[in-house]
Amino acid sequence: MATKNSKAKAETTNEASSTKATDALAKQTESDATDKAAAAKKSAAGSKASAKKTVAAKSAAAKPKAKAATKAASTEKTAITKKAATTPTVATKKPRDSRAKPKASASKPKSATDAGNSEVTSFEPYTETKTEDYMNEAQHQHFRDILNAWKAELMEEVDRTVSHMKDEAANFPDPADRASQEEEFSLELRTRDRERKLIRKIDSTLDLIDQDEYGFCEACGVEIGIRRLEARPTATQCIDCKTLDEIKERQVRG
């Protein structure tokens, strides 16, 4: 009986010792894990600090290079600006047109604008006396000379137009050039047509001088006036009647 009790006590003692050993081993393992975690945390903090130092060092090294590059670019731009300011400008020559164009005639006819304002200006104004009659023989001759000179100028323009159209006539390969030439000829022909009508009016005015009916208004019969006739030798109305006609014409046209 005593032997059994001794065995039981021994077993209990062994179990207690085994439990204590197990607890001690667990505590040791936990302590080792805590130390490892602390070491890993310390290592990570050291790596971050090292990375920050590396970035700061690189940034500090890059700043002088950037400043030097900016300064070099500014210096180069200033040099280019000064060079452009001191370099003389060279005129660029336009390439010549390879298409053959006809030569211009020596005397080109008047344009449509010139023909619309064609008036005789190469004459001396008539100086009348207080005692002479209106539209006497001297005045008739004065206006006859003006009308004949004006008619001769218009006939010369007709001849110049014919010569100009013959010399300028060419079959351009470019449609735009052909259209421009046709438009120019069309304008000249319309101008000559107006001058042809004016020549007929000059002829009828010369007939009025021969019939001793020149210089009087065909509407009211008053004197037209020397100065108005010198400004417009083919005038058939006085200034008042002509003004009224123009007013009526504007009213009719609206």
Side-chain angles (χ1 to χ4, degrees), residues 16-35:
S17 298
S18 175
T19 302
K20 288 180 180 179
T22 302
D23 292 338
L25 182 61
K27 288 181 178 180
Q28 184 66 33
T29 303
E30 185 178 355
S31 177
D32 290 343
T34 302
D35 292 341

Side-chain angles (χ1 to χ4, degrees), residues 100-105 160-173 177-178 180-182 184-185 188:
K101 293 185 178 181
K103 295 181 180 179
S105 59
R160 287 176 188 167
T161 299
V162 174
S163 301
H164 174 66
M165 294 183 70
K166 286 181 179 179
D167 294 339
E168 291 287 336
N171 188 13
F172 290 106
D177 290 340
R178 288 200 300 271
S180 177
Q181 185 190 55
E182 290 173 2
E184 180 184 355
F185 287 171
E188 290 182 7

Side-chain angles (χ1 to χ4, degrees), residues 28 53 98 122 128 133 138-139 145 167 199 211 216 244:
Q28 184 66 33
K53 288 182 179 179
S98 58
S122 58
E128 55 183 331
D133 296 331
Q139 292 178 8
D145 294 339
D167 294 339
I199 289 173
Q211 297 168 10
F216 297 93
L244 288 174

